[in-house]
Amino acid sequence: QDPMDLLASAPLVNAAGAPVAASSLKGLLVAFYFSAHWCPPCREFTPVLKDFYEAVNEPEKKFEVVFVSSDNDEAARLKYMKEAHGEWLSLPIESPLRDELKRKYGCCAGKEQASAGVVERREGIPALVIVRPDGSEVSIKGTEEALGGPPALKRWLAKV
């Protein structure tokens, strides 16, 4: 099933924990951010992504991130969101869509590959998967590409 259709019924929340309708993603380039607080490379990349997110969304919003957590519990996810994340969206720990997205894109921590049911692990964490409005993949190398700053957004949009 198309991940954007799946998101329509998903309990997306903003950085403050308030529910957000998936319809708010309409017209935006979306990235799924696979990450966890316990992961040192993730904690290193998250501030870079936050700066990127803020830069590309000025003066108007064009890009949205949906955090797909590999944290061990909801408290850890919330702490990580509060400490380091941008004003993007997230899936709560209890959402079954988290594992579905990990399986679809092959992105997860090695220690959760079996429990998430990921057959082919294409990327560890952190991973930033850029997707078209229909959920098809633009790039699985978003973490590396975002390091180059805002020009990455133009390259991604050109592929949509």
Side-chain angles (χ1 to χ4, degrees), residues 36-51:
H37 184 263
W38 54 260
C39 163
C42 298
R43 287 197 313 273
E44 191 175 304
F45 177 71
T46 299
V48 172
L49 180 59
K50 181 180 179 189
D51 290 346

Side-chain angles (χ1 to χ4, degrees), residues 51-160:
D51 290 346
F52 178 89
Y53 180 86
E54 290 169 357
V56 300
N57 283 320
E58 286 296 327
E60 70 174 288
K61 190 164 198 167
K62 302 177 203 102
F63 178 68
E64 187 58 88
V65 172
V66 177
F67 173 44
V68 183
S69 179
S70 289
D71 285 304
N72 298 320
D73 55 45
E74 187 66 2
R77 183 191 71 79
L78 291 171
K79 181 178 187 218
Y80 188 28
M81 290 285 297
K82 184 173 282 199
E83 285 178 1
H85 285 235
E87 291 295 317
W88 52 70
L89 305 179
S90 179
L91 288 164
I93 289 289
E94 68 275 0
S95 173
L97 184 55
R98 285 174 49 248
D99 284 347
E100 232 173 295
L101 291 170
K102 290 173 187 179
R103 286 190 296 272
K104 175 167 179 61
Y105 297 109
C107 299
C108 66
K111 71 179 190 175
E112 67 178 344
Q113 183 173 351
S115 64
V118 176
V119 176
E120 182 188 351
R121 187 168 166 246
R122 298 168 62 212
E123 287 286 321
I125 58 173
L128 188 68
V129 180
I130 314 305
V131 298
R132 292 177 181 86
D134 69 358
S136 63
E137 194 177 295
V138 171
S139 176
I140 194 170
K141 299 290 183 189
T143 46
E144 296 158 28
E145 295 162 352
L147 291 173
L153 182 71
K154 288 182 181 156
R155 289 191 298 277
W156 296 332
L157 287 168
K159 294 178 182 178
V160 174

Side-chain angles (χ1 to χ4, degrees), residues 3-13 18-23 25 32 66 89-92 94-98 100-101:
M4 294 311 184
D5 289 343
L6 294 171
L7 283 175
S9 61
L12 289 172
V13 293
V20 176
S23 59
L25 300 173
F32 292 114
V66 177
L89 305 179
S90 179
L91 288 164
E94 68 275 0
S95 173
L97 184 55
R98 285 174 49 248
E100 232 173 295
L101 291 170

Side-chain angles (χ1 to χ4, degrees), residues 16-30:
V20 176
S23 59
S24 68
L25 300 173
K26 191 166 178 65
L28 300 177
L29 187 66
V30 174

